Amino acid sequence: MKESVIDLLLQIRYVEIIEFIGTFAFAINGIRGAATKNCDWFGAFVLGFVTAVGGGTLRDLLLDITPFWMLNSIYLWCTLLALLFYIFLREHLNHLNRFFFWSDSIGLGLFVVVGAEKAMLLGYNSWVIISMATITGIIGGILRDVFLNKIPQIFKREIYAFPCILGGSCFVFLQLFNFQLPFISIITVGVVVLLRYIAVKWDLQIPRLKSER
């Protein structure tokens, strides 16, 4: 019994570390979006924070637990760090579109892992685990685009949710074989990043819904 409690605590700590890294990656993405609309520093901070925690907040509310960022101020500091990172390095980062693509893709993969892990620890079944993984990954970007008065990219162009769904499915599948969490996390993140890369590389898109004539 004691060993199982210790293992659970270690898993929770592991999730927090992944969540912090994902928060930084998504916050930068949101801050960059704010820069395209000439927002001030406060506006950029708010948008970065919403982008970073939006998905996790909805996930935690659906799982009936306190939103993660309300339990630890480190996520606010993480967003502030991302803002300072962008402010001081923006002249270099603006020429590094690959940097933003990879940071966003890795952040997406990490959030998929976090969403899946939290739902699993609470004892939910496979389809809920996959749903929470997807929600954690995509909702922040949707909120970012809504706040910027844009149609969310996920609804019109980019294949973004599909990698989350497959990543969550990969997490569930590997969990059935009792692999260690670090191994499952690496494979899941790899699947998400690889699918994002393939979609962008070959400009893959979901068929669009045509309007009535």
Side-chain angles (χ1 to χ4, degrees):
M1 179 65 178
K2 183 177 180 181
E3 291 182 356
S4 63
V5 172
I6 293 175
D7 289 340
L8 179 61
L9 292 174
L10 289 175
Q11 286 184 331
I12 293 173
R13 175 60 59 182
Y14 184 78
V15 169
E16 289 178 348
I17 294 173
I18 295 178
E19 213 159 31
F20 179 84
I21 299 173
T23 298
F24 183 83
F26 266 36
I28 289 179
N29 187 282
I31 291 166
R32 190 190 185 198
T36 65
K37 294 291 186 177
N38 295 318
C39 295
D40 60 22
W41 288 9
F42 178 75
F45 174 84
V46 171
L47 195 58
F49 186 70
V50 169
T51 304
V53 307
T57 299
L58 179 58
R59 174 204 65 221
D60 289 349
L61 291 175
L62 290 173
L63 294 176
D64 197 27
I65 59 177
T66 303
F68 67 101
W69 59 269
M70 297 178 66
L71 301 174
N72 194 335
S73 63
I74 193 171
Y75 301 103
L76 288 168
W77 291 109
C78 181
T79 304
L80 179 60
L81 178 63
L83 176 61
L84 295 175
F85 181 82
Y86 184 86
I87 290 172
F88 290 109
L89 297 177
R90 65 183 182 277
E91 293 183 0
H92 302 287
L93 296 179
N94 286 335
H95 300 290
L96 297 175
N97 287 326
R98 289 185 178 181
F99 169 82
F100 289 105
F101 169 77
W102 290 114
S103 65
D104 181 67
S105 297
I106 294 172
L108 182 66
L110 292 172
F111 274 4
V112 165
V113 170
V114 170
E117 176 71 6
K118 283 199 171 183
M120 183 198 69
L121 289 175
L122 292 173
Y124 287 94
N125 56 31
S126 298
W127 71 270
V128 176
I129 293 174
I130 297 171
S131 298
M132 292 303 104
T134 304
I135 286 173
T136 307
I138 69 174
I139 295 300
I142 293 175
L143 292 174
R144 175 202 63 212
D145 290 342
V146 170
F147 281 14
L148 292 175
N149 197 29
K150 301 191 302 184
I151 298 176
Q153 293 181 358
I154 188 176
F155 293 155
K156 64 175 184 177
R157 184 166 60 88
E158 292 189 4
I159 294 181
Y160 206 81
F162 187 64
C164 296
I165 295 171
L166 286 187
S169 300
C170 177
F171 183 96
V172 170
F173 178 77
L174 294 175
Q175 190 67 35
L176 293 175
F177 294 94
N178 295 318
F179 286 110
Q180 294 296 315
L181 183 58
F183 176 79
I184 296 175
S185 300
I186 291 172
I187 298 300
T188 300
V189 172
V191 167
V192 174
V193 173
L194 178 61
L195 290 174
R196 282 277 292 146
Y197 174 78
I198 291 174
V200 172
K201 177 75 173 179
W202 282 279
D203 194 27
L204 301 180
Q205 299 182 15
I206 298 174
R208 299 189 180 189
L209 184 64
K210 296 183 180 180
S211 62
E212 299 178 3
R213 295 187 181 276

